[in-house]
């Protein structure tokens, strides 16, 4: 049994997380949940005067798979490559041990940890690769001039080792559960939709229709164009774009002319999309808080109730 004096116990007491250490994505457990759990463990260990209860020496050893998937611990992944997609956004690929995948569920996000000027910051990002991908995972990240995490990400170089925490959230999808999925995304909100679409097109037995509506500033700002173009070749997948800052369709490839609306997403556009569904629609929404609420309000006006909508 370990012995500690009062000063030692105070040094071992868990530190309460800073607000910047919460990614605000509804993770279960959140860093604050983990803190409360660790604090409770510390109190019990101190009350019994047994440090082994705090260090976990009596617990079974963690396997490599557990370490990779543990929701309470960060694991290190090496940055394998990065590909610039737009002026501000890039696709980052991280190496996973051979023969191992993250066992993601559709639309789940990972939590990234970084340090800027001594301040720990955490943010959530959704992998865009197929959920059963082995050997790597990829995340789409847009950098912001004044963003704390962006300052950290700007320092990354291929070969760097970066801390990520296990998947959270996601969309409980089952093949053929919905007749027609209407996806509304703004910017990097497209990320969780990509694994869902690929899951549907990879499954020959899944006959769910999909219409993805992507809202971007210009044609150049559309993320993952090649993948979206590839997926839209399937009989049950359509893509539609709303470009708020594009002045004329003449600036776009001809294949985009009939599936692009210039301006902002509005009730008329959403009514047209809802009415064009071949089967009963179910809406998936991912973007800023304002975008999500606007789309939800438009969908209500178009006849969908909240039970037919899911917001990431």
């Amino acid at each position: 049994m370990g012995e500690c004096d009062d000063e030692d116990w105070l040094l071992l007491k868990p530190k309460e997380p800073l607000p910047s250490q919460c990614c605000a994505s509804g993770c279960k457990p959140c860093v604050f949940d983990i803190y409360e759990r660790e604090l409770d463990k510390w109190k019990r260990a101190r009350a019994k005067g047994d440090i082994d209860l705090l260090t976990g020496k009596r617990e079974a050893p963690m396997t490599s798979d557990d370490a990779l998937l543990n929701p309470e611990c960060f694991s290190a992944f090496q940055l394998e490559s990065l590909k610039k997609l737009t002026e501000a956004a890039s696709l980052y690929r991280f190496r996973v041990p051979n023969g191992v995948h993250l066992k993601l569920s559709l639309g789940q996000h990972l939590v990234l940890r970084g340090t800027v000027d001594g301040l720990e910051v955490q943010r959530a990002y959704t992998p865009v690769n197929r959920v059963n991908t082995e050997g790597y995972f990829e995340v789409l990240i847009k950098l912001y001039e004044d963003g704390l995490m962006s300052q950290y990400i700007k320092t990354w170089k291929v070969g760097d080792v970066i801390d990520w925490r296990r998947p959270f959230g996601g969309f409980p999808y089952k093949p053929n559960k919905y007749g027609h999925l209407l996806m509304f995304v703004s910017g990097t909100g497209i990320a969780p939709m990509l694994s869902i679409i690929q899951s549907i097109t990879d499954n020959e037995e899944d006959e769910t229709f999909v219409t993805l509506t992507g809202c971007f500033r210009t044609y150049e700002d559309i993320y993952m164009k090649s993948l979206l173009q590839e997926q839209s070749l399937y009989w049950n997948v359509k893509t539609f774009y709303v470009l708020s800052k594009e002045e004329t369709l003449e600036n776009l490839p001809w294949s985009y002319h009939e599936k692009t609306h210039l301006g902002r997403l509005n009730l008329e556009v959403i009514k047209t999309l809802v009415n064009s569904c071949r089967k009963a629609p179910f809406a998936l929404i991912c973007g800023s808080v304002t975008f999500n609420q606007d789309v939800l309000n438009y969908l209500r006006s178009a006849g969908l109730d909240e039970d037919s909508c899911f917001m990431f």
Side-chain angles (χ1 to χ4, degrees), residues 180 182 211 238 270-279:
H180 197 135
L182 275 179
T211 299
K238 290 175 59 178
I270 286 187
K271 280 185 175 180
T272 300
L273 291 167
V274 170
N275 292 335
S276 68
C277 291
R278 302 186 185 185
K279 297 182 179 180

Side-chain angles (χ1 to χ4, degrees), residues 284-298:
L284 303 182
I285 310 166
C286 189
S288 67
V289 173
T290 301
F291 174 85
N292 291 352
Q293 192 58 55
D294 286 346
V295 172
L296 186 59
N297 290 338
Y298 289 144

Side-chain angles (χ1 to χ4, degrees), residues 208-227:
T208 305
F209 287 98
V210 176
T211 299
L212 181 141
T213 299
C215 300
F216 302 91
R217 289 170 57 85
T218 69
Y219 169 76
E220 296 300 327
D221 292 320
I222 299 175
Y223 303 131
M224 312 295 289
K225 289 189 191 72
S226 297
L227 177 59

Side-chain angles (χ1 to χ4, degrees), residues 175-218:
N176 297 308
K177 180 178 180 179
Y178 306 101
H180 197 135
L181 288 179
L182 275 179
M183 300 177 173
F184 296 93
V185 305
S186 174
T188 54
I190 196 171
M193 308 301 181
L194 298 177
S195 63
I196 297 172
I197 295 174
Q198 292 176 94
S199 171
I200 292 171
T201 57
D202 286 345
N203 183 356
E204 293 184 356
E205 302 300 318
D206 195 341
E207 299 185 348
T208 305
F209 287 98
V210 176
T211 299
L212 181 141
T213 299
C215 300
F216 302 91
R217 289 170 57 85
T218 69

Side-chain angles (χ1 to χ4, degrees), residues 215-217 241-247 260-266 269:
C215 300
F216 302 91
R217 289 170 57 85
Y241 300 98
V242 177
L243 306 179
S244 61
K245 298 297 182 181
E246 199 69 70
E247 296 181 354
T260 300
H261 169 78
L262 301 185
R264 304 189 71 84
L265 188 63
N266 56 44
V269 171

